Amino acid sequence: MHLQRTADGVVVCAPAKLNLFFEVLNRRNDGFHEVETLVYPIDLYDTLILSGRAGPRIDFRLVFASSGAPCGDVPEDSANLVVRALELLRRRAGAELGARVSLRKRIPTAAGLGGGSSDAAAALAAANVVWGLHWPRERLAQVGAELGSDVPLFLHSSASICRGRGEIIVPAPGSPILHLVVVRPPEGLRTADVYRTCRIAGRPRPVRPFAEAFARGDLKRMAETMFNRLETSASLLSPWIARVRRALETVDCVGYQMTGSGSCCFGLCRHARHARRVARRLQTRGIGTVYAVRGCR
Ligand code: ATP
């Protein structure tokens, strides 16, 4: 996440993420799943602009970027995670604080890109500055975890390994700038549906081999060890996963898989030019919206 102060508030770039590795370890009694995942932020952003206002109102405005990104089901009212994050933060701060906030949405929804969680984290970080709270990241992360398992990780700006229900976060060793293509098929997937269909493996795969390859920036070994446990269940729910995989197989990516609970899939490319070339080829296949992206610093 990148936060910049302006004359009357802050502007935050809220990035999407890719799960370069994703294993489900078990299902807890509280319904959450224990996971082990390596999360990589990419330069596909929503933009949040926040300023303070007198009185306790939160004025929220949602604008869709004109790129044709499939993100139509985003709530425009108090159900939006941005508003929920601000309301929760001021409740925890015990103060009647107000804000004017606008969100420019580019990240596709129901995609496994974590757009909503990233927006919530951006709202927490922005309000922390504008409302003069000066809370440390750990305290903001506790509020974020009440909103969603993925919110705390977006308070970190670099690649992370996440465990527990996603809230135990350590920075991933090394920080290669990877170049990738991301495909959002015409159909999204609901996270809860995908988890419900998922079968937990008797012997889970460890993240370590992938994390070591990632630390070295070894693309070939990364392709050999990348993995997503949820991909099989997502494929049972949507025929698009197999279709996108077949397309990715034919365009000379180093490796490819689904991110999070889908429905986006991504391909690992050798460099920026390669990613742009692969994206151009995929755009002709009728498999959805295609982005050439890179890791963000
Ligand atoms: P994840 O990887 O966290 O599962 P996702 O891409 O599957 O991410 P999102 O698109 O971030 O999921 O959000 C899922 C749902 O949350 C949306 O369908 C939408 O109804 C709701 N939502 C609430 N606020 C937002 C927001 N600011 N942006 C996107 N979705 C939001």
Side-chain angles (χ1 to χ4, degrees):
M1 168 194 319
H2 179 259
L3 190 148
Q4 196 186 342
R5 276 178 175 276
T6 60
D8 61 348
V10 291
V11 178
V12 189
C13 291
K17 55 85 178 162
L18 295 175
N19 298 91
L20 302 183
F21 179 94
F22 195 101
E23 178 61 291
V24 182
L25 302 177
N26 61 56
R27 187 172 190 276
R28 305 191 323 196
N29 290 336
D30 60 8
F32 285 108
H33 290 80
E34 296 267 333
V35 300
E36 186 168 57
T37 177
L38 194 147
V39 181
Y40 189 69
I42 54 171
D43 68 348
L44 174 60
Y45 299 103
D46 289 341
T47 310
L48 182 123
I49 303 176
L50 188 140
S51 56
R53 82 186 286 293
R57 261 184 51 182
I58 291 171
D59 295 331
F60 176 63
R61 199 165 76 98
L62 180 67
V63 186
F64 291 104
S66 54
S67 58
C71 44
D73 65 341
V74 182
E76 301 193 31
D77 55 14
S78 58
N80 195 288
L81 277 160
V82 166
V83 183
R84 289 178 51 207
L86 296 176
E87 284 177 345
L88 185 60
L89 181 62
R90 70 179 177 182
R91 221 169 30 247
R92 293 286 171 267
E96 296 227 315
L97 298 157
R100 272 195 193 89
V101 58
S102 76
L103 177 68
R104 193 175 179 80
K105 199 76 203 151
R106 280 184 209 87
I107 304 173
T109 54
L113 297 175
S117 304
S118 186
D119 297 341
L124 292 176
N128 191 39
V129 173
V130 169
W131 288 344
L133 300 175
H134 307 299
W135 286 10
R137 184 166 66 189
E138 292 66 34
R139 197 165 168 201
L140 285 182
Q142 279 169 13
V143 178
E146 291 184 52
L147 295 157
S149 304
D150 281 351
V151 178
L153 81 91
F154 284 104
L155 293 166
H156 296 247
S157 335
S158 55
S160 307
I161 296 176
C162 305
R163 299 189 174 89
R165 51 174 270 220
E167 81 289 8
I168 304 165
I169 303 162
V170 293
S175 53
I177 296 292
L178 303 176
H179 298 274
L180 308 112
V181 288
V182 177
V183 183
R184 166 54 159 83
E187 189 173 87
L189 278 169
R190 276 170 33 96
T191 305
D193 296 342
V194 179
Y195 270 106
R196 208 174 302 119
T197 321
C198 173
R199 295 187 59 182
I200 290 154
R203 288 182 52 201
R205 290 198 199 194
V207 70
R208 195 166 162 186
F210 180 83
E212 285 173 357
F214 178 81
R216 292 195 305 274
D218 181 343
L219 292 182
K220 186 166 171 287
R221 184 72 185 135
M222 280 162 73
E224 285 163 5
T225 52
M226 60 203 261
F227 177 69
N228 186 344
R229 175 68 60 196
L230 295 178
E231 196 165 313
T232 309
S233 24
S235 306
L236 295 174
L237 296 171
S238 169
W240 284 102
I241 306 301
R243 276 178 214 157
V244 173
R245 279 187 66 91
R246 276 199 298 277
L248 283 165
E249 200 178 310
T250 60
V251 285
D252 171 42
C253 289
V254 185
Y256 55 89
Q257 73 180 29
M258 190 182 82
T259 174
S261 53
S263 61
C264 272
C265 297
F266 62 89
L268 188 56
C269 297
R270 285 186 286 277
H271 43 71
R273 207 154 29 89
H274 183 215
R276 286 196 297 273
R277 195 168 65 229
V278 169
R280 275 198 301 276
R281 288 184 64 190
L282 290 171
Q283 265 148 10
T284 63
R285 302 287 176 89
I287 50 167
T289 314
V290 184
Y291 307 83
V293 301
R294 52 176 277 162
C296 47
R297 283 184 200 279

